[in-house]
Amino acid sequence: MPEMIVKPATLKELWKILPALPPARRYLAGGTDIVVACNGGCESSECWMDISDIPELKTIKETASSLFLGAAVKISDLERSAAVRKWCPALIAAIPYYASPSLRNMATLGGNAGNGSPCADGVCALVAEGASVLLELKGKKRRLPLKDLFLGPKKTALKKDELILGFEVPKRARLGAYQKLSARPYFCISKAAVAVTLEISGGVIKRAGIALGSVAPVPLYAAKTAAWLAGKKLSAVTAAAAAGIVKAEAAPITDARSEADYRREMCGVLLERALVSLVPLAGR
Ligand SMILES: Cc1cc2nc3c(=O)[nH]c(=O)nc-3n(C[C@H](O)[C@H](O)[C@H](O)COP(=O)(O)OP(=O)(O)OC[C@H]3O[C@@H](n4cnc5c(N)ncnc54)[C@H](O)[C@@H]3O)c2cc1C
């Protein structure tokens, strides 16, 4: 464990105390990744900055056009939020597959993104939702499309000490689905995962968002497949054709959890299942 854990009460206090802290420092939110890494000998910072009670990071806020999800909101609180249920259908579909109920009481989306894993279920869903990530460093804010935050396994575009404030999801009526393949149906890291959002009018897809987990070095936005779906009627035939296209977008590796060819094949299967699950909802 680090020698020092500090717990600023506000963002203002965080930026004020930061220069006096030991240089090897990291943020601590729910601790479900960083504590495991520490116990495994992969994390040896001198100082953790506990951001779990900073009010600005714990809000879910609606504006006319978007929904803000604070980086330190617990996954279980997101699941209970009526606004998240309304505007984030892929995220809501992903939550049952996200760790376990007890871990969801601790884990946050900020930690899911900050950890930089290609397997992150919350990130994968938010990328399909078309989310942006809001960042702050010593009072200076910037915004990125969430899909651009990830540079490789455990590598993000975050600068030293840059804090994820939260995620902004556009408020557009859409359907969403999440399909995850893992060794067990629940409480397991994915071999492959697919998140889908669809904006539909008169049975025709107006806009699609597709993200793939565990099949590339980063949570991957499947841009070609999403563009191909726009303008198509949502049907089992469209779903089968999209499955063929998405396989070419995945860039999986073979590792302890699965083989590359199987992962690629299953991307297509999972996308087809996700799209077919939305067919009965398209006319409502
Ligand atoms: C048994 C087990 C099962 C799991 N199952 C799943 C699963 O099914 N799906 C899944 O996606 N994940 C799973 N995880 C991983 C983990 O629970 C999630 O990634 C979780 O969302 C991490 O959030 P946290 O708040 O606990 O992050 P922490 O552990 O507190 O932080 C993780 C990393 O992000 C950084 N960080 C945290 N918050 C911020 C911020 N606001 N700004 C910048 N950097 C920040 C930290 O410095 C650290 O590097 C599992 C973990 C365990 C132990």
Side-chain angles (χ1 to χ4, degrees):
M1 294 295 273
E3 287 157 30
M4 183 191 285
I5 299 181
V6 293
K7 192 169 185 186
T10 61
L11 277 181
K12 203 170 158 197
E13 188 186 335
L14 168 67
W15 303 131
K16 193 170 161 201
I17 63 171
L18 195 71
L21 299 178
R25 57 196 180 217
R26 287 178 80 182
Y27 292 116
L28 168 72
T32 62
D33 275 317
I34 200 170
V35 173
V36 174
C38 182
N39 290 342
C42 307
E43 153 60 27
S44 54
S45 306
E46 298 163 272
C47 172
W48 285 352
M49 302 167 285
D50 183 343
I51 52 166
S52 61
D53 273 331
I54 293 184
E56 295 94 323
L57 308 184
K58 289 179 71 182
T59 57
I60 299 174
K61 224 170 20 198
E62 263 187 272
T63 67
S65 59
S66 67
L67 182 66
F68 172 81
L69 310 177
V73 177
K74 302 298 182 188
I75 303 303
S76 50
D77 289 330
L78 294 170
E79 191 175 16
R80 282 190 283 266
S81 157
V84 176
R85 299 194 81 82
K86 180 165 183 188
W87 297 114
C88 305
L91 179 61
I92 288 295
I95 286 177
Y97 302 101
Y98 195 134
S100 64
S102 54
L103 273 149
R104 294 198 289 269
N105 287 333
M106 301 166 71
T108 66
L109 287 177
N112 205 224
N115 191 48
S117 166
C119 317
D121 290 307
V123 167
C124 184
L126 282 184
V127 168
E129 304 276 11
S132 303
V133 59
L134 306 184
L135 308 172
E136 183 171 335
L137 180 58
K138 298 175 195 163
K140 204 170 160 203
K141 292 190 170 68
R142 66 178 178 132
R143 166 200 304 263
L144 288 177
L146 179 58
K147 64 182 172 53
D148 297 342
L149 183 68
F150 306 100
L151 305 178
K154 303 274 176 183
K155 286 200 193 106
T156 68
L158 289 170
K159 297 175 188 158
K160 178 169 168 55
D161 295 328
E162 198 168 29
L163 179 70
I164 301 171
L165 295 177
F167 306 86
E168 217 168 69
V169 177
K171 272 172 54 177
R172 292 194 298 258
R174 57 189 169 239
L175 302 174
Y178 197 77
Q179 291 279 330
K180 175 169 167 175
L181 175 77
S182 45
R184 297 183 301 272
Y186 296 99
F187 201 26
C188 205
I189 300 175
S190 59
K191 297 169 191 272
V194 174
V196 175
T197 59
L198 297 179
E199 290 173 46
I200 295 186
S201 173
V204 174
I205 300 165
K206 296 295 171 198
R207 188 198 306 247
I210 298 174
L212 310 177
S214 296
V215 293
V218 294
L220 188 73
Y221 184 67
K224 284 185 190 147
T225 313
W228 182 86
L229 279 169
K232 305 278 187 313
K233 188 172 166 16
L234 178 60
S235 67
V237 175
T238 301
I245 297 168
V246 83
K247 283 190 270 184
E249 289 204 73
I253 56 162
T254 295
D255 64 11
R257 268 176 290 125
S258 199
E259 287 181 359
D261 288 347
Y262 179 62
R263 283 183 149 135
R264 185 186 299 284
E265 197 56 33
M266 287 311 293
C267 268
V269 173
L270 296 177
L271 178 62
E272 188 171 353
R273 282 182 194 161
L275 291 171
V276 166
S277 76
L278 297 176
V279 172
L281 307 177
R284 290 188 194 167

